[in-house]
């Protein structure tokens, strides 16, 4: 059973919400500016909230991404005075200790989900959402799911291609392009259909969320490494650098908005950077030192990308061009892991110098058009998906 609703959660008359045991999946972005409290605080007052599931980096993004533990483990139940409510980490992927399991939800009648995703196939919380849908469907649990929808943080633009079937987890969610353009609820609608699920799914329009009236989607960072207004626009492209030994700025104040490496100091003397540039951005030479992660504590030489207002920008295509150019220039970039991250034969061939720019453009065009046709069946709002029709090569 599926429904799309245009009244807020607290005005829903469903018996399961008024009488049942509740659980929440959320992070720090599930905050109500009118009440000035988090979703789990509001639901706790009903006396029926049993569990709060939160992502791998913590409810507030306080768990460091490089694997180091925080100085003090937060006991959320004590911090918020929520006695009797369990706070449980939830990760994605087979073999994870905290992957969704039926036992976690056997005493739950309704699961309420609210978080801000990054609009990318690499989003870890969206991967958890997909795993939850599969788990509920396969196990036959009697759980109603409510999605408090969110706008896509980087709009309706689509980028790139889906990973090939059977790809490694590093390639992201199967069937989803690098940047999908859907809202959280629309993506859930797609997952629900593809899983073949029958459990009750109810999506509440983002237009009735109080935060929609007062805050922009990026006002509260969706995760600790996506802190700014422009970060998400570069994210799905710069994440591809995880298949290289380049830094994408993780561990700095501008993650995913810059790239570089300790051995790229010759770039500082270049007068012509057109081979690395794009019509949609300015490239600013910079030197940065990541405080954590790749090249932690080392000087890196590279560029910060600054968006040109009003100019279309395709971050995935630009990232591929950057890597290909640096490899072709003999800068010493190790891109050996890019094929498994890309999970796309044409893209990998382009980076390796076998496919041409025109080959890449045509391939991206075809795959984006396929995705837009497919995604249209699951859209819940009037605003349509768009693609960058003219990819820049400079």
């Amino acid at each position: 059973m599926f429904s799309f609703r245009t009244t807020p959660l607290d005005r829903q008359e469903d018996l399961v919400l008024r009488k049942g045991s509740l659980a929440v999946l959320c992070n720090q972005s599930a905050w109500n500016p009118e009440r000035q409290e988090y979703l789990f605080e509001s639901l706790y007052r009903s006396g029926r909230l049993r569990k709060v599931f939160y992502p791998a980096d913590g409810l507030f993004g306080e768990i460091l991404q490089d694997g180091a533990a925080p100085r003090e483990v937060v006991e959320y139940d004590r911090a918020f005075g929520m006695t009797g409510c369990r706070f449980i980490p939830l990760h994605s992927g087979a073999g994870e200790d905290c992957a969704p399991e039926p036992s976690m939800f056997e005493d739950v009648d309704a699961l309420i989900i609210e978080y801000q995703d990054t609009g990318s196939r690499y989003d870890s919380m969206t991967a958890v959402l997909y795993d939850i849908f599969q788990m509920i469907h396969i196990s036959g649990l009697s759980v109603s799911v409510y999605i408090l929808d969110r706008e896509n943080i980087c709009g309706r633009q689509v980028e790139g291609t889906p990973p090939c079937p059977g790809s490694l987890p590093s390639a992201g969610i199967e069937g989803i392009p690098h940047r999908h353009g859907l809202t959280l609820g629309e993506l859930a609608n797609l997952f629900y259909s593809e899983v073949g699920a029958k459990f009750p799914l109810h999506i509440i329009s983002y237009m009735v969320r109080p935060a929609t009236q007062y805050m922009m989607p990026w006002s509260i960072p969706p995760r600790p490494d996506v802190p700014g207004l422009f970060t998400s626009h570069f994210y799905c492209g710069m994440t591809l650098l995880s298949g290289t030994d380049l830094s994408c700025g993780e561990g700095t104040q501008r993650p995913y908005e810059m790239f570089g490496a300790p051995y790229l100091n010759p770039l500082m003397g270049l007068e012509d950077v057109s081979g690395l540039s794009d019509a949609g951005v300015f490239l600013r030479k910079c030197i940065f030192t990541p405080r954590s992660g790749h090249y932690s504590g080392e000087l890196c030489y590279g560029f910060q990308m600054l968006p040109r207002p009003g100019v279309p920008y395709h971050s995935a295509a630009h990232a591929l061009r950057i890597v290909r150019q640096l490899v072709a220039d003999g800068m010493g970039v190790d891109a050996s892991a890019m094929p498994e991250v890309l999970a796309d034969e044409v893209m990998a061939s382009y980076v390796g110098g076998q496919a041409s720019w025109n080959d890449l453009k045509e391939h991206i065009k075809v795959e984006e058009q396929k995705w837009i046709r497919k995604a249209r069946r699951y859209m819940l709002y009037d605003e349509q998906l768009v693609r960058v029709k003219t990819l820049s090569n400079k």
Side-chain angles (χ1 to χ4, degrees), residues 239-315:
T239 297
L240 299 178
L241 299 190
S242 64
T244 74
D245 63 346
L246 294 170
S247 166
C248 62
E250 287 186 290
T252 73
Q253 292 181 326
R254 292 296 180 187
Y256 305 110
E257 297 182 28
M258 56 178 64
F259 63 92
Y263 57 81
L264 290 180
N265 51 309
L267 294 180
M268 299 297 98
L270 287 181
E271 295 183 5
D272 181 9
V273 296
S274 59
L276 299 172
S277 191
D278 185 279
V281 297
F282 296 102
L283 287 185
R284 180 181 70 87
K285 293 178 183 177
C286 62
I287 302 173
F288 58 92
T289 304
R291 295 185 299 275
S292 60
H294 201 31
Y295 297 128
S296 176
E298 296 185 57
L299 285 176
C300 292
Y301 302 86
F303 294 90
Q304 181 186 6
M305 297 174 292
L306 303 169
R308 293 177 183 258
V311 180
Y313 177 67
H314 195 291
S315 65

Side-chain angles (χ1 to χ4, degrees), residues 94-117:
E96 287 278 2
D97 292 339
C98 300
E101 294 288 345
S103 59
M104 297 178 176
F105 298 87
E106 286 175 347
D107 57 348
V108 171
D109 298 309
L111 173 64
I112 301 165
I113 299 174
E114 182 181 14
Y115 65 87
Q116 183 68 63
D117 75 320

Side-chain angles (χ1 to χ4, degrees), residues 149-182:
D149 203 4
R150 289 295 189 102
E151 298 169 85
N152 191 306
I153 196 171
C154 46
R156 287 300 211 180
Q157 183 175 312
V158 171
E159 285 186 17
T161 67
C164 61
S167 302
L168 296 176
S170 59
I173 304 171
E174 188 172 315
I176 308 298
H178 298 85
R179 177 170 165 177
H180 55 72
L182 298 179

Side-chain angles (χ1 to χ4, degrees), residues 10-304:
D10 58 7
R11 290 172 53 189
Q12 303 296 321
E13 296 297 328
D14 302 35
L15 185 63
V16 71
L17 290 176
R18 292 188 288 112
K19 301 292 185 179
S21 297
L22 307 179
V24 171
L25 169 64
C26 68
N27 64 3
Q28 76 274 13
S29 65
W31 186 74
N32 187 319
E34 288 187 333
R35 295 176 176 171
Q36 297 191 37
E37 64 182 7
Y38 293 98
L39 173 64
F40 55 81
E41 293 181 282
S42 301
L43 292 173
Y44 180 72
R45 288 201 302 273
S46 72
R48 294 187 306 282
L49 183 63
R50 302 290 179 260
K51 298 176 180 179
V52 178
F53 297 103
Y54 62 88
D57 53 19
L59 188 56
F60 297 92
E62 77 280 6
I63 300 176
L64 301 179
Q65 295 299 295
D66 59 5
R71 292 182 179 179
E72 180 179 350
V73 177
V74 177
E75 296 182 358
Y76 300 118
D77 53 345
R78 294 187 179 182
F80 286 91
M82 295 173 56
T83 304
C85 183
R86 294 179 60 198
F87 286 77
I88 304 170
L90 207 57
H91 304 182
S92 174
E96 287 278 2
D97 292 339
C98 300
E101 294 288 345
S103 59
M104 297 178 176
F105 298 87
E106 286 175 347
D107 57 348
V108 171
D109 298 309
L111 173 64
I112 301 165
I113 299 174
E114 182 181 14
Y115 65 87
Q116 183 68 63
D117 75 320
T118 57
S120 165
R121 79 184 193 200
Y122 308 104
D123 193 281
S124 58
M125 283 197 74
T126 301
V128 169
L129 175 66
Y130 183 73
D131 288 350
I132 288 174
F133 277 29
Q134 280 194 312
M135 180 273 299
I136 295 176
H137 172 63
I138 293 171
S139 66
L141 284 174
S142 179
V143 177
S144 297
V145 178
Y146 293 79
I147 305 284
L148 276 60
D149 203 4
R150 289 295 189 102
E151 298 169 85
N152 191 306
I153 196 171
C154 46
R156 287 300 211 180
Q157 183 175 312
V158 171
E159 285 186 17
T161 67
C164 61
S167 302
L168 296 176
S170 59
I173 304 171
E174 188 172 315
I176 308 298
H178 298 85
R179 177 170 165 177
H180 55 72
L182 298 179
T183 70
L184 175 63
E186 290 169 339
L187 204 56
N189 188 15
L190 184 150
F191 291 162
Y192 186 76
S193 175
E194 294 205 333
V195 167
K198 302 298 182 184
F199 60 81
L201 173 64
H202 309 291
I203 297 174
I204 298 176
S205 171
Y206 71 77
M207 299 299 293
V208 301
R209 288 180 58 252
T212 301
Q213 305 172 37
Y214 301 107
M215 301 189 301
M216 303 304 289
W218 52 80
S219 297
I220 300 174
R223 46 189 281 181
D225 59 346
V226 183
L229 166 60
F230 302 117
T231 314
S232 60
H233 291 272
F234 296 111
Y235 178 75
C236 71
M238 287 294 102
T239 297
L240 299 178
L241 299 190
S242 64
T244 74
D245 63 346
L246 294 170
S247 166
C248 62
E250 287 186 290
T252 73
Q253 292 181 326
R254 292 296 180 187
Y256 305 110
E257 297 182 28
M258 56 178 64
F259 63 92
Y263 57 81
L264 290 180
N265 51 309
L267 294 180
M268 299 297 98
L270 287 181
E271 295 183 5
D272 181 9
V273 296
S274 59
L276 299 172
S277 191
D278 185 279
V281 297
F282 296 102
L283 287 185
R284 180 181 70 87
K285 293 178 183 177
C286 62
I287 302 173
F288 58 92
T289 304
R291 295 185 299 275
S292 60
H294 201 31
Y295 297 128
S296 176
E298 296 185 57
L299 285 176
C300 292
Y301 302 86
F303 294 90
Q304 181 186 6

